[in-house]
Amino acid sequence: MSSDYPFTMFNEMKLPDCYLTYPSNNSEAKDDVKLSAMLHTDTSSDSWLDKTRSFVLAACRKPSFTGHVGLMEVVLKYQLQDSSAPFPAIKLEESADNHSEEIKIVGLKYGCQLIVEYGVRLNLIPPTTETQTVEELCRDVARALGAQQYGEVTSVKFDWFVCVVYLLFGGQSARIRSFLTTFSTTLTSSYLWSLRLLNSTHVKQEIASSGLTVIHYNACHCMERVLHKALPKVACAFRISGMSPTHVVKRWINSCFLNILPWNEICNYVLIVVSEGPAYLVLYCIALLKHLETRLLQHSTQHTMLYDVLEEPVQGFVLSNYLDYITSLDKRVWDYAQEGSE
């Protein structure tokens, strides 16, 4: 640059602090040491899973915590050692070129493009990532799920959960496929992964042929019972608006909260449900509805609830602020569900 040029070029200036990352603080480093020590202890003990779940809950109480896949993988591994798998694993094989268009996935290219752009913008995957990588993964998963479904599968919905897993693992193909294969054997997968049991041979054929998933006829059914007991004003607001809370919660779960919650909260959502089980999926949604209570009551009288709840991102929700509420509700949720069935 010429010495007589009066201005400093922007590339010679110091990078602003908001663009820089710094090492974890001491408390987070201590947590990593505790986790490492715990994972290297004897995992054959019956209390090991309880200790891990307690650690997950304690970690989620910190506002700065973001669930990481290493802990999720270990929890999943020893959950399966502790109990028998209710479902057989899917056979997730890489597709050959001549089978690439075997199953039509609705909105595949557009959905994968959104996921890649989202992941690159948040620095979750490399900037050079191509949408074709995600497309191939979605096709392979669709084919694997189709092998455990009634009849011949020719068209399926876009799988947002698989895409979230792709981002969670930073696009690492081997770990993604290993996790999905293992996770597909668990009961939790039928709730967290909305397409896992869709038209599946692992449920009665009359239920499979209805097109309903376990999320609709089980999780959302339980959620509505709990909602009427725990948040009667919110339940009343839905009734006044003529809108079903099941419709809202099902949309949230199907999209894995993408475009609803910030990424760190999506990570915590996946981690806590994998660790604590399907009941926490219901409790998480109840906590989110509690957070939205004021907005829901306002929009129920303005007849704008449908747009506000389904289209607008949730602002200000942090799991750590509602974890005490969730754990207290966990002790009463079975009573609530039972009361609704009497």
Side-chain angles (χ1 to χ4, degrees), residues 307-328:
Y307 171 81
D308 184 70
V309 176
L310 293 183
E311 303 299 332
E312 290 294 315
V314 175
Q315 303 291 338
F317 179 82
V318 180
L319 176 60
S320 59
N321 295 338
Y322 288 90
L323 205 52
D324 288 335
Y325 174 76
I326 289 175
T327 52
S328 65

Side-chain angles (χ1 to χ4, degrees), residues 255-301:
S255 66
C256 211
F257 290 97
L258 285 168
N259 204 39
I260 300 297
L261 294 174
W263 176 249
N264 62 314
E265 290 303 323
I266 294 176
C267 295
N268 293 339
Y269 158 73
V270 175
L271 173 62
I272 199 170
V273 175
V274 170
S275 172
E276 308 301 320
Y280 268 69
L281 181 143
V282 174
L283 299 176
Y284 190 95
C285 293
I286 293 291
L288 194 54
L289 290 172
K290 179 177 176 60
H291 176 76
L292 293 172
E293 182 171 6
T294 302
R295 271 175 57 183
L296 292 173
L297 294 177
Q298 177 185 356
H299 288 279
S300 64
T301 57

Side-chain angles (χ1 to χ4, degrees), residues 39 71 104 193 205 217 223 229 261 294 297 302-303:
L39 296 182
L71 179 57
K104 180 182 178 182
W193 189 354
Q205 189 165 7
Y217 66 79
M223 179 275 303
K229 291 290 183 178
L261 294 174
T294 302
L297 294 177
Q302 298 176 354
H303 304 289

Side-chain angles (χ1 to χ4, degrees), residues 200-251:
S200 173
T201 55
H202 307 308
V203 298
K204 294 181 179 180
Q205 189 165 7
E206 54 266 30
I207 296 177
S209 61
S210 69
L212 297 178
T213 66
V214 67
I215 293 172
H216 190 111
Y217 66 79
N218 197 333
C220 289
H221 184 59
C222 179
M223 179 275 303
E224 289 206 7
R225 288 179 175 177
V226 176
L227 183 66
H228 279 81
K229 291 290 183 178
L231 298 173
K233 291 182 180 180
V234 174
C236 184
F238 275 105
R239 189 178 183 88
I240 291 173
S241 68
M243 184 179 175
S244 169
T246 289
H247 180 62
V248 174
V249 169
K250 190 174 71 169
R251 284 279 295 272

Side-chain angles (χ1 to χ4, degrees), residues 124-165:
L124 302 173
I125 53 178
T128 56
T129 302
E130 297 181 355
T131 58
Q132 184 179 356
T133 306
V134 190
E135 291 176 19
E136 290 174 355
L137 175 65
C138 290
R139 290 194 186 100
D140 294 343
V141 172
R143 188 176 300 104
L145 292 176
Q148 297 183 7
Q149 294 178 354
Y150 291 105
E152 183 180 357
V153 181
T154 57
S155 178
V156 295
K157 298 177 181 178
F158 187 74
D159 200 330
W160 292 106
F161 175 77
V162 169
C163 291
V164 166
V165 171

